[in-house]
Amino acid sequence: MPSPGMSSLGTAAARNLATTTKSVPQMQAVSPRWLLKLLPWVQVSGGAYRVNRRLTYTIGDGRVEFTTTGSEVRVIPQELRELPALREFEDDAVLEALAGAFVQRQYEPGDLIAVSGQQADQVLLIAHGRVAKTGSGRYGDQTMLDVLADGDHLGGHLFAGPRGYWEFTATARTRCTVLALPVRSLKRLIARSPSLQAHIERYGSGGPHKPHNKQGEAAIELSA
């Protein structure tokens, strides 16, 4: 208690209030209490926690995966194999260079990401958000072709040949984070990598414009 002439706590009293009572380490898990008592705990007056993260990803599900550090989004290089043109491409160093060439862009709802009839000049990876694909329907009217979301991609055909033009319009329906690889950067990387050149040539000779589904598999016509 402070003395009658004091208007604040003394140093000893303030230190006593600021010091917490330390209990025996415990955890809400299946580890038994006796194990916690045997672990080599070290008393420290202060410190910083480090959280170790393991990078995990799945190849073959048709969707590209990303890593996020703060506001920075980066595509996992090996995940570029989800693009039909890069499937079975084994040079990780080239994939790393390709991943580093993507530029992060932000779009608000209603923003146009790609416009039908305009020149296709970039490969697009949707890291976050929903994108509506609209184009000409069976009778020439505008119709919804697809709704894309996290992990989908556009413009993968640019790996194999001339740019061409977008055959649809892509519009952001929510706030979107998109990674874009300009064609000029793509051409520069292809020119510097003999292994990528050979792979693209093999892919092009296989007919990249044949009908295929979103996973890059050959489209099979069925009748019933």
Side-chain angles (χ1 to χ4, degrees):
M1 292 292 293
S3 61
M6 295 181 60
S7 60
S8 62
L9 292 174
T11 303
R15 183 182 296 112
N16 185 46
L17 291 176
T19 302
T20 60
T21 300
K22 279 76 174 178
S23 62
V24 177
Q26 300 179 13
M27 61 188 299
Q28 292 182 342
V30 295
S31 298
R33 298 286 180 85
W34 61 264
L35 175 60
L36 295 175
K37 294 179 180 179
L38 292 177
L39 293 176
W41 298 95
V42 178
Q43 179 67 30
V44 294
S45 57
Y49 289 99
R50 184 181 70 181
V51 178
N52 295 325
R53 296 188 301 172
R54 292 185 61 190
L55 178 62
T56 60
Y57 54 88
T58 304
I59 299 294
D61 60 356
R63 309 189 77 83
V64 181
E65 297 181 28
F66 307 84
T67 58
T68 302
T69 304
S71 61
E72 181 183 358
V73 179
R74 191 173 187 272
V75 61
I76 299 173
Q78 292 78 6
E79 281 288 314
L80 291 174
R81 294 191 180 104
E82 298 293 355
L83 301 177
L86 296 178
R87 188 155 290 139
E88 299 181 0
F89 181 61
E90 299 297 335
D91 194 332
D92 285 348
V94 175
L95 292 178
E96 185 76 33
L98 284 170
F102 278 86
V103 180
Q104 181 175 336
R105 294 175 182 167
Q106 302 294 139
Y107 294 93
E108 297 295 328
D111 288 350
L112 295 176
I113 300 175
V115 179
S116 177
Q118 291 188 0
Q119 194 171 54
D121 58 355
Q122 54 189 346
V123 180
L124 301 172
L125 308 178
I126 302 173
H128 178 71
R130 286 189 299 168
V131 176
K133 281 178 60 177
T134 56
S136 298
R138 182 175 181 181
Y139 302 104
D141 55 333
Q142 288 294 306
T143 186
M144 179 74 71
L145 301 177
D146 199 359
V147 176
L148 308 179
D150 304 13
D152 285 322
H153 46 82
L154 302 168
H157 64 279
L158 298 176
F159 278 89
R163 304 182 189 182
Y165 297 87
W166 294 115
E167 298 179 353
F168 52 82
T169 294
T171 308
R173 299 187 69 176
T174 64
R175 293 190 64 182
C176 294
T177 300
V178 177
L179 298 186
L181 175 62
V183 167
R184 61 181 180 276
S185 299
L186 174 60
K187 286 184 174 180
R188 192 159 50 242
L189 290 168
I190 292 177
R192 292 204 303 253
S193 172
S195 62
L196 183 56
Q197 289 180 31
H199 180 83
I200 293 299
E201 289 175 1
R202 289 194 299 270
Y203 172 74
S205 64
H209 301 295
K210 292 183 179 180
H212 59 273
N213 60 19
K214 293 172 63 175
Q215 285 70 42
E217 301 166 335
I220 301 175
E221 296 185 3
L222 300 176
S223 60

